[in-house]
Amino acid sequence: MLVGADDHASAVRRAVLAPAPAADCGWATWQGLTPALPDLAAGTAGRSFVGDAGFVGLMPAGGGLLQWWFDVPWCRSAPRPPSPVTWLRRRFAHYAAPVPDLLAAVSDADIALYPHVRHAVPTRWGTGPSTLVGDAAHAFPPTLAQGASQTLEDAWLLTRALRTAAHPVPALRRYERARSARVRPVSRLAATELTTGRRTHSPGCWPAACPPR
Ligand SMILES: Cc1cc2nc3c(=O)[nH]c(=O)nc-3n(C[C@H](O)[C@H](O)[C@H](O)COP(=O)(O)OP(=O)(O)OC[C@H]3O[C@@H](n4cnc5c(N)ncnc54)[C@H](O)[C@@H]3O)c2cc1C
């Protein structure tokens, strides 16, 4: 049996399912994990900031580390800023504290870019004794914090299907049918980037309630 669990650019997916790469969703996350903002990092509460420049998340990650990310509109063909942190400092300069403080404390070596991409979720994820798990099957934007969660559900259901199966191939198809039905609406909702940008997707009352900072 072959189980492809090799992320959204999966070689297994290309071999057993479809050669097309995951589609761009128009946003990307600049993300880092550093000991910045020690008071916040030592706590147990995260903070989110939504404004006209994009979405910012700050999350204590344990061990004195802070996970921080900036969701911004993104296009593969646009040139990358030579210094992402300088670019983010300019873009988010008007956001409330501690966003500018964080950006003052980090460097380009701390940051990585994760474009938001999405695979359509077919009902079948492989042929014969091959299948997929996680982002290889159903990559979608991280905006709902569901990618790892759905991947764990895949692993759980795949294990259960195989444990009780007389023959693995029908069990794999049953696993794919069950999981595709569940993950498809999650993927669709995540791809709206509902939580990422306030201008394009805010429910009615947000724009008035949400100041630029
Ligand atoms: C910025 C960002 C924020 C996110 N936030 C959240 C969140 O808050 N909550 C949430 O649930 N999810 C979140 N996700 C999504 C989550 O990270 C993924 O959905 C999850 O990691 C998918 O698990 P996976 O095992 O399918 O793939 P991965 O975790 O990507 O693991 C795949 C592994 O396969 C390896 N690999 C790839 N190709 C090969 C090869 N050819 N040979 C051998 N090994 C290979 C890779 O090195 C990697 O170790 C986020 C993602 C991003 C990018």
Side-chain angles (χ1 to χ4, degrees), residues 25-32 47-58 67-75 87-88 91-92 95 99 102-103 111-117 140-145 190 192-201:
C25 296
W27 289 81
T29 300
W30 288 102
Q31 182 168 278
R47 295 185 66 180
S48 305
F49 301 79
V50 185
D52 53 4
F55 180 93
V56 183
L58 310 175
Q67 188 192 4
W68 42 267
W69 67 96
F70 295 80
D71 289 345
V72 293
W74 177 82
C75 169
W87 182 79
L88 289 169
R91 187 175 175 89
F92 289 90
Y95 271 38
V99 173
L102 168 78
L103 285 167
I111 199 164
L113 179 69
Y114 300 90
H116 295 189
V117 296
F140 51 76
T143 45
L144 298 179
T192 64
E193 301 273 359
L194 195 63
T195 54
T196 318
R198 99 184 155 130
R199 276 173 307 176
T200 39
H201 307 296

Side-chain angles (χ1 to χ4, degrees), residues 5-7 11 29 31 114 133-136 142 145-149 151:
D6 48 348
D7 75 46
T29 300
Q31 182 168 278
Y114 300 90
V133 161
D135 282 8
Q146 277 288 310
S149 314
T151 300

Side-chain angles (χ1 to χ4, degrees), residues 139-164:
F140 51 76
T143 45
L144 298 179
Q146 277 288 310
S149 314
Q150 293 299 321
T151 300
L152 290 170
E153 287 190 13
D154 288 350
W156 172 61
L157 215 68
L158 179 58
T159 309
R160 211 171 70 161
L162 291 173
R163 194 182 292 136
T164 54

